[in-house]
Every structure is written in C-alpha cells, then in structure tokens.
Amino acid sequence: MPQRGMTVTEHIILGMRAHPEATGAFAQLLSALVTAAKIISSEVNRAGLTDILGSAGVINVQGEEVQKMDEFAEKTIIRHLVRTGQVCAMVSEETADIIPIPDRYPKGKYILVFDPLDGSSNIDVNVSIGTIFSILKKEGPGNDVTIQDVLQPGRKQVAAGYFIYGSSTMMVYTTGEGAHGFTYMPEAGEFFLSHPDIRTPEEGKIYSVNEGYYNYWEDNMKELVDYIKTPEPGRRTPSDRYIGSLVADFHRNLFKGGLFMYPSNLRDPKMPTGKLRLMCECNPLAFVVEQAGGRATDGKRNILDIEPQEIHQRVPFFIGSPRNVEIVEEFLKD
Ligand code: AHG
Ligand code: MN
Ligand code: MN
C-alpha cells in the first residue's frame, strides 16, 4: 500500500513489485525524468535572477548568451533520458520532428512525448509553470521508430503526468492505477507522496477559459459560457479562474473541481482547432484526470480515443469534473 511520505522512487519500485514481468526499464526511465525535473525546478526558481544577470535569450552581463528556459528544460530532459537506453524516440513541443536517439546510446521500447515548459510566457512574472509528459510503448518488433509508431491514441499511454513549478514543486503521475501527487523537498532532493489516489470533485464551480476570445468563438461555445454564468436557483455561482498556464489551471481545478476550456478559436486561422496539442499536452492530462474520476473531451470525442494524425496536432480541449464536462458535451454535440 502506498503510504503518505514515501519517496517517488519507493512508489515506482512498489508499482514494479505488483508487476512481476517488469524489467526495471520503466522505473529507470521515470527516475531519469524525475532527475531532469529536479534540475529544471532549481533553474526555474532562479529565473528571477536572470532579470538582474540579463534576461533569457539575450546576452547577460558576462557576455554569455542566456539560454531560453524552455530550451534549457528540453535539453535537460533529452540528456537524462537518452542515457537510460530505454527510449527509442522522443517528441517535444519545442521540436518539429521526432527527436532521434544518437547511435552511441542503446535504444529501448519507450517513447517519451513532452512539453518541456508549459506556460513559459509566465516565467518572467513568477507564475506557476510546468513540464507535461506522456509515455508510450513502441508496438511491434525492433527499436527503429517511424511516425506511425508515435501516433498512438492517448488510451495507449503507459504513464503520464506533470511537474508543476509553483509555490512548491510537485509531481502528479499515473500508470493507470490511480493518480498520485508528490511534493518536492529541495533540501532532501526528494519528492514525497503527499496526495495519494487523487479524486477530483464530481462537480466544481470553477471555469477556466480565456474569455478575451469570446467574440471569436463559435455560437455553441458562446452559449455554453453564457449558460455557465446564468444564475439559476439551486446552482452555485461560478468562479472564473484563468492563469494562462495550462498545468497550473489544470492542477488547481483537479483539486478544487471545475472545468478548463481551450476551444477552437475562429480569430486565428492558423489554429482553427484550438491551441493545445493533443499528444504532449491534452493526452497526458486526460489520462491523469480520468484516473482521478474526471473527464476530457474535444466537445465530441473523448480525448483519449482520438487517433492522432500528426505529432503536433491541436485539438479543442475541455477537461475537468465529470458533471461539468457532461454540460460541455450537451452544448457542443452538434
Ligand atoms: P506553452 O507555454 O507550452 O506554449 O503553452 C502555453 C499554453 C498553455 O499553458 C495555456 O493554457 C495557453 O497557452 C494560454 O493561451 P492563451 O494566452 O491563448 O489563453
Ligand atoms: Mn504548453
Ligand atoms: Mn511549452
């Protein structure tokens, strides 16, 4: 039984014991990801200092180029993951193509899909940001990867989760046996189980959407948000909460209950299907929320059932408490 206070490493090992066929490959991969996140967390905590030492992406006072934080996060994850020998490919939000594994490293059967730093436009103003990850397994023989090997629906994820760099750093992850939250203690260099078996409320009063785009929404989306805000006897007054950092908005709603929405936006012809990416943002959070008793949809389909057509595919995204998501489906079904 997982016990509050156990480290994430102990938790991973406990999960392995329940699966005698496990080789340790997955545990090694997850540990490498945790190590990378610790490094990113410490760098994010120091981000404010780049203001006085030179802001990211420009030359600092020592005349060196300061790396952009999302590039730093991506490189850190790649570096720690390739050396495990357990991945055969990686896909990052920041890189257009599949990231191959250099020949000098052995390849394993896992595929890591990730958003290295979500909400990164908020770094300069000290708002919570995060890293989102999704782990898939290559099907079929061999370790050479084609795009088809990567384009798997979210239902096939073997694990998924995120790290949030907030007032404390946390990791929330699932392997399909509940969603569990760990809080980082920098002095110990460890994540400790603080939120075992997370359950999201059946219904919540929070709705999170960028309402600045209201006039660019399709009519049924406008009607949905109008409905949410219409006072009705017996219904709680809703609260609008939108940080603009998906991980942070999602994390809050997971515990407090409610609904996060990023619909299609007719304003931007480049993003007719919304902004958020199916494989590296929506699928992992959809897996977490389902394990916590919540749901995720694009308005018509369960997010986890969508067969991706391309690695950076964007989808409308509605995620949260099951009752709130039901209302979305009512409004957006046709
Ligand atoms: P990223 O920083 O990884 O590019 O993601 C940004 C995303 C997401 O975190 C957030 O939910 C969304 O952008 C906010 O977009 P708007 O500013 O259009 O509301
Ligand atoms: Mn993102
Ligand atoms: Mn990002």
Side-chain angles (χ1 to χ4, degrees), residues 261-272:
M261 303 181 265
Y262 205 110
S264 49
N265 176 354
L266 304 175
R267 179 188 67 130
D268 192 341
K270 291 197 302 300
M271 297 183 196

Side-chain angles (χ1 to χ4, degrees), residues 234-249:
R235 235 177 55 210
R236 283 196 287 172
T237 312
S239 283
D240 186 4
R241 296 279 182 274
Y242 191 75
I243 296 170
S245 215
L246 172 63
V247 162
D249 280 308

Side-chain angles (χ1 to χ4, degrees), residues 267-289:
R267 179 188 67 130
D268 192 341
K270 291 197 302 300
M271 297 183 196
T273 56
K275 178 180 186 185
L276 301 176
R277 296 173 201 228
L278 175 61
M279 294 196 71
C280 65
E281 292 173 316
C282 306
N283 275 340
L285 300 186
F287 192 12
V288 168
V289 95

Side-chain angles (χ1 to χ4, degrees), residues 82 85-89 100-103 105-110 143-145:
V82 290
Q86 306 299 354
V87 281
C88 52
I101 309 304
D103 286 340
Y105 295 106
K107 283 188 200 165
K109 56 190 169 185
Y110 291 103
N143 289 336
D144 288 327
V145 178

Side-chain angles (χ1 to χ4, degrees), residues 93-94 115 117-118:
E93 189 204 67
E94 298 295 327
D115 179 352
L117 217 47
D118 173 70

